[in-house]
Amino acid sequence: MSEQVSGPSLGMQILLQGEQSIYNCILADIATGKLISGDRLVTTHLASCYQTSINPVREALKQLEGEGFVTFQKNSGARVAAFEYATMREVFEILQLLEPYFLAWYAKHCSAESLARLDAIQAQLRSLNVNDSAGLRDLDTAFHWEMYRHHYNTSALRLWKNKKLILQALHGDLPVCQTRFSATIKEHDHLLYLLKAGDEESAVRALTKHVISGGDYWSSVITSQLSELSA
């Protein structure tokens, strides 16, 4: 297990709010770098860390194994797995379905107060250093959550938070290039403009494009990394 870091960021707090299962705790530790690829996952140690019994830890590890985050090896037990490209692709496909669904409702019901909060988050994004990839991911999560959190479908919201947490675990330590950094801010600006103008259909299209472009970017980054490793 790598060196412990400070408390969870704003984005991580959002993703874990009301979801303090052992599964989410382990996944969050992977996402924040407390647990890294190859680390042994000893059930008794994890149970002590999370102040629970062994059975919930075992169940969480089996679930994480099914999602490709944990591997069980003969004679060495459970370990944090290496990255699986297929997992990321599936997560992005789910987000591409969920996020326009949330925004279609938000565009009809957004309040002036909520739009002001989006403006405030966007102002923080613009003030970030272009090399602050963690800050971008953190505030991007907060920006999207402000739009989605008002939705009545709490089951769908829990699914969204789970998939975003999985994305953090998959590429939370990868840098964001300056082109994608700037594109994210511009895409948020355009979305905000459409929401304020009351153009619901265009806002949904803009968000869909934003989610797809993000997925395409990370797919290209990971594909490039895998090619380098296999070269």
Side-chain angles (χ1 to χ4, degrees), residues 41-55:
L41 300 170
V42 181
T43 53
T44 53
H45 175 68
L46 293 174
S48 176
C49 288
Y50 302 131
Q51 298 183 332
T52 186
S53 60
I54 291 176
N55 283 341

Side-chain angles (χ1 to χ4, degrees), residues 44-88:
T44 53
H45 175 68
L46 293 174
S48 176
C49 288
Y50 302 131
Q51 298 183 332
T52 186
S53 60
I54 291 176
N55 283 341
V57 173
R58 286 175 175 164
E59 292 171 4
L61 291 178
K62 291 300 291 184
Q63 184 176 350
L64 288 164
E65 180 191 25
E67 294 175 348
F69 290 100
V70 169
T71 60
F72 282 86
Q73 302 171 357
K74 188 176 181 180
N75 300 325
S76 63
R79 292 184 182 271
V80 179
F83 171 80
E84 290 289 342
Y85 173 79
T87 302
M88 188 186 75

Side-chain angles (χ1 to χ4, degrees), residues 9-12 15 31 125 128 131-144 164 167-169 171-176 181 184 217-218:
S9 63
L10 172 63
M12 196 60 65
L15 297 178
L125 273 166
L128 288 176
N131 296 314
D132 189 358
S133 299
L136 176 68
R137 276 188 284 266
D138 194 50
L139 290 172
D140 180 67
T141 297
F143 185 90
H144 284 254
K164 288 290 286 186
L167 281 186
Q168 290 279 11
H171 56 62
D173 60 340
L174 296 177
V176 180
F181 198 109
T184 298
Y217 169 75
W218 286 112

Side-chain angles (χ1 to χ4, degrees), residues 105-117:
W105 190 90
Y106 179 76
K108 292 182 174 66
H109 300 89
C110 58
S111 65
E113 291 79 9
S114 181
L115 291 173
R117 284 191 287 271

